[in-house]
Amino acid sequence: MRRGAVAAAAAGGRRESSGKRTAKTGKNNGERTAKTGKNNGERTAKTTRTAARRSGGRAVADAAAAAERAAARKEAEEAARRARHLQELSRASGAERALEELVFGGSLHVEEDDLLRCLAGPQRLDAPERETLQKDSSDSEAENEAKGNLLTKKPAWVDEDDEAEENVDMTHRYRKDLMKSDAEKTLTKKKLKRRLEEQFQRAMGGVPAWADLENRKKSKKTASDSESDEDDDLLCRTGNFVTNSESLPRGILKMGICLPANQERFASGRLATVQFHPSAQVVMTAGHDRSVSLFQVDGIKNPKIQSIYLESFPIYKASFSVDGEYVIATGTHHRMFFVYDMMSGNIIPIQKVRGVEERFLRSFELSPDGSFMLVTGTSGYLHLLSMKTKELISTMKVNGRCAASAFTPDSSKVYSYSKEGEVFVWDVRSRKCLHKFEDEGSLEGKCIALSKNNQYVACGSASGVVNLYTTDACLKEHRPKPVKAIMNLVTSATCVTFNPTTEILAVASREADEAVKLVHIPSYTVFSNFPVFRRKQIYLAQSMDFSPRSGYFSIANNKGKALLFRLKHYSDF
């Protein structure tokens, strides 16, 4: 029993030892298997990383090789391009080489046909060659532009004297007119430039369009858009595309000398009046030969239309009525005057005006509205007549003697200039004196004129000075300062008149030959080309007048001629 238990226990012990050994063996086998798997995994990962590094190096090497091949190909293409370019350039000089060989004797072996073909010039290129040349030229232009940008540098040295302001001597005779006061004996160049610009703008009546840079820049875009259309329109039409500027330029007056207006009938004595018709292309002359003549103005022949003769009536002054249907003429030593009706051909004598106690009726003025006739009497009396009835309306009187009178353009006022140098301003409706002012420096008044735009008043005195005033200053001040004192006459100023556009003031004296000057109003300067230097043609000027649109200018002289000049700046009569 005991031996069986011991045997069983021994068998159990052996079984337990065998189980332990089996478990240990399994554990060792598992550990060896896991270690083997781990080692195999590490070797596989290492192999994979090595293979990846090898493949990356090959890609980099391939990329480097491709870049080297591309650079070599590009260099080859550049070398080929340059070779082609040089070849084309060498072709262009073939004609020159052939010509050199012909001149210096090196072309004896060349046939005549080949020589002529070479001299004809380079051959026409094919399309691929043209494209190649264009591409090369564009590349060279880009290279030149890049070089130009690199070569742009700042100056290495600047002279301080160049930047310093330099003073200009204003006492020089060419710059005296630019001085505003005696203190301005020197001006800087900038101030002188500004002064010249102001003078130019006054002469031109503002800034011309071509001188206004800002407006020119703004209009460039619109002008470029319509440029092609304008060119087409210019080529499709004919005519005069050159026009004169709107404002009259100073300095030189473009004018032509025509035949005298009374070429077909010169007066036998001194001409007293020359006047253009207010609406027709007709001019009237009247003088001491007792005749009134009408001529058509064409600038070529000036044919005579009609002449009337007033017996024993030497004419002192004649004038068209405002409507142009009548001519009114006064005599040198008569109390009466004549009215010539051009429509009916009747000559109407006005023997005496009731209420006018004058020995002679000579000087008179007609109102621009055609309603009044102002007769200048003796002892300072002014007689206002009705143009419709030729009867006296009222009489006004100035201090002293009255030398001349003039209506304002609206016929509301009368300016009367006394021989004592005072100017009286009268209201036509009430016949009251509104204002009085003194003409600066005048010892004896001679003539007066008002501009058509009622902006200026010109007073001529016995000293030969013609003072030009603004109307506003004349109506507000008792001693106004003239905007310009015209001193180009050395004898008495006996006639002054404005042109219809108030751009020219004509001043003249009947006491000296060629004593006529034309003044440019915006700049107050005299036109240098009139009268013609050292050429006697005007003699003693008695009367002057401009045509209704300033196209013609006429001067009546003591030789019985009505000289006629064409002012080319103005296109109309």
Side-chain angles (χ1 to χ4, degrees):
M1 204 58 194
R2 193 179 298 152
R3 285 193 298 268
V6 171
R14 287 193 298 268
R15 285 196 297 270
E16 182 179 0
S17 300
S18 177
K20 290 179 179 179
R21 284 193 299 270
T22 302
K24 187 177 181 180
T25 302
K27 180 180 179 181
N28 292 334
N29 290 334
E31 291 177 355
R32 285 195 299 270
T33 302
K35 187 177 181 179
T36 302
K38 181 180 180 182
N39 293 334
N40 290 336
E42 290 178 356
R43 283 196 299 270
T44 302
K46 186 177 180 179
T47 302
T48 304
R49 286 196 298 270
T50 303
R53 283 197 298 269
R54 289 178 180 176
S55 61
R58 283 196 298 271
V60 172
D62 293 340
E68 291 177 358
R69 287 194 298 273
R73 185 168 57 255
K74 189 174 182 180
E75 290 178 359
E77 290 177 357
E78 180 68 17
R81 182 184 67 79
R82 291 179 180 176
R84 288 195 301 272
H85 198 179
L86 292 174
Q87 185 178 3
E88 296 299 334
L89 292 177
S90 63
R91 288 183 186 178
S93 61
E96 297 179 2
R97 289 198 304 272
L99 183 60
E100 290 176 358
E101 292 176 357
L102 176 63
V103 173
F104 296 107
S107 60
L108 297 178
H109 61 282
V110 180
E111 296 294 335
E112 184 177 358
D113 296 338
D114 297 337
L115 180 60
L116 292 176
R117 186 166 54 255
C118 292
L119 293 177
Q123 298 178 357
R124 302 177 77 74
L125 303 177
D126 297 335
E129 295 176 344
R130 282 198 302 271
E131 292 178 358
T132 303
L133 282 179
Q134 290 176 359
K135 182 178 179 181
D136 297 343
S137 62
S138 62
D139 295 342
S140 61
E141 288 178 0
E143 292 174 1
N144 293 334
E145 184 178 359
K147 290 179 181 179
N149 294 333
L150 291 175
L151 292 176
T152 303
K153 296 180 179 180
K154 294 183 179 179
W157 175 70
V158 178
D159 191 354
E160 296 179 355
D161 295 336
D162 294 341
E163 298 181 352
E165 291 188 357
E166 181 180 353
N167 292 329
V168 181
D169 183 16
M170 298 301 295
T171 59
H172 192 275
R173 61 192 181 100
Y174 291 146
R175 293 185 284 269
K176 277 186 176 180
D177 294 338
L178 298 176
M179 295 174 59
K180 292 184 177 180
S181 64
D182 295 337
E184 291 183 337
K185 293 185 178 180
T186 58
L187 284 178
T188 62
K189 283 189 174 182
K190 291 183 179 179
K191 291 183 178 179
L192 179 60
K193 179 183 177 182
R194 194 179 305 114
R195 190 71 55 83
L196 290 171
E197 290 177 353
E198 293 174 357
Q199 186 186 38
F200 175 76
Q201 292 176 11
R202 285 198 306 269
M204 299 300 294
V207 181
W210 58 264
D212 194 349
L213 298 180
E214 294 182 359
N215 291 335
R216 287 183 66 188
K217 290 179 181 178
K218 292 179 181 178
S219 61
K220 265 187 179 181
K221 295 182 179 180
T222 57
S224 60
D225 297 338
S226 60
E227 187 176 5
S228 58
D229 299 336
E230 291 179 359
D231 292 342
D232 296 339
D233 184 60
L234 180 66
L235 297 175
C236 293
R237 293 188 293 111
T238 61
N240 185 16
F241 288 92
V242 180
T243 59
N244 293 325
S245 61
E246 294 181 0
S247 59
L248 179 68
R250 57 175 289 185
I252 302 246
L253 181 62
K254 294 183 179 180
M255 61 191 313
I257 302 175
C258 307
L259 289 176
N262 59 345
Q263 175 70 25
E264 294 193 356
R265 188 191 180 278
F266 290 142
S268 58
R270 184 175 65 183
L271 274 184
T273 298
V274 61
Q275 186 184 16
F276 289 94
H277 193 275
S279 57
Q281 200 160 335
V282 175
V283 67
M284 174 191 64
T285 61
H288 291 187
D289 63 348
R290 306 171 180 84
S291 64
V292 176
S293 301
L294 302 176
F295 301 89
Q296 181 182 354
V297 180
D298 60 5
I300 302 174
K301 293 184 178 180
N302 305 322
K304 186 181 77 170
I305 299 174
Q306 186 183 14
S307 291
I308 60 173
Y309 182 76
L310 303 177
E311 187 175 356
S312 302
F313 195 82
I315 298 173
Y316 182 85
K317 182 178 180 179
S319 177
F320 283 113
S321 61
V322 177
D323 56 10
E325 296 182 359
Y326 300 94
V327 174
I328 300 169
T330 58
T332 56
H333 298 86
H334 295 80
R335 297 178 61 181
M336 63 178 294
F337 62 93
F338 285 94
V339 178
Y340 172 52
D341 188 349
M342 292 189 295
M343 304 301 293
S344 62
N346 296 329
I347 301 175
I348 306 169
I350 308 298
Q351 295 294 341
K352 183 181 178 181
V353 179
R354 184 182 302 175
V356 178
E357 301 297 333
E358 296 289 346
R359 186 179 178 186
F360 304 126
L361 295 182
R362 292 180 176 176
S363 180
F364 68 94
E365 296 294 332
L366 302 181
S367 63
D369 63 358
S371 301
F372 306 104
M373 175 179 176
L374 184 68
V375 179
T376 303
T378 57
S379 302
Y381 285 99
L382 298 172
H383 306 286
L384 189 65
L385 309 182
S386 171
M387 274 296 294
K388 186 175 182 180
T389 62
K390 309 300 186 294
E391 293 181 355
L392 179 66
I393 297 175
S394 181
T395 298
M396 299 167 284
K397 188 181 184 307
V398 301
N399 298 333
R401 298 166 297 169
C402 185
S405 300
F407 280 92
T408 57
D410 59 359
S411 303
S412 64
K413 299 181 184 65
V414 172
Y415 285 70
S416 57
Y417 190 23
S418 70
K419 287 185 177 293
E420 286 71 27
E422 293 180 327
V423 180
F424 297 82
V425 183
W426 302 88
D427 180 62
V428 174
R429 181 168 297 180
S430 64
R431 271 79 69 184
K432 292 182 179 180
C433 183
L434 302 177
H435 188 66
K436 181 182 72 171
F437 66 90
E438 295 180 5
D439 182 19
E440 186 181 68
S442 175
L443 300 177
E444 182 183 352
K446 284 290 185 180
C447 54
I448 189 170
L450 274 72
S451 61
K452 301 299 186 293
N453 62 357
N454 200 26
Q455 185 178 358
Y456 295 103
V457 178
C459 300
S461 62
S463 62
V465 178
V466 178
N467 286 328
L468 188 64
Y469 301 93
T470 60
T471 306
D472 294 338
C474 292
L475 295 177
K476 295 178 181 178
E477 303 176 18
H478 293 285
R479 291 184 179 180
K481 291 290 182 182
V483 294
K484 180 67 177 178
I486 302 166
M487 301 183 182
N488 297 85
L489 301 178
V490 296
T491 54
S492 298
T494 55
C495 183
V496 291
T497 182
F498 290 90
N499 80 318
T501 61
T502 317
E503 293 177 306
I504 302 174
L505 170 64
V507 299
S509 173
R510 66 168 64 102
E511 298 178 5
D513 290 336
E514 311 300 307
V516 179
K517 296 294 181 181
L518 298 181
V519 182
H520 183 250
I521 289 299
S523 64
Y524 312 126
T525 57
V526 174
F527 289 104
S528 59
N529 63 322
F530 187 85
V532 180
F533 182 62
R534 292 182 179 178
R535 181 179 176 183
K536 204 170 184 179
Q537 60 178 352
I538 298 176
Y539 295 94
L540 301 179
Q542 307 296 314
S543 176
M544 302 180 296
D545 192 32
F546 291 91
S547 61
R549 292 180 178 82
S550 304
Y552 288 90
F553 173 60
S554 184
I555 303 174
N557 65 9
N558 62 323
K559 302 292 184 180
K561 294 183 179 181
L563 306 176
L564 189 64
F565 303 91
R566 176 72 175 92
L567 305 185
K568 297 181 179 180
H569 175 80
Y570 304 99
S571 58
D572 297 331
F573 174 77

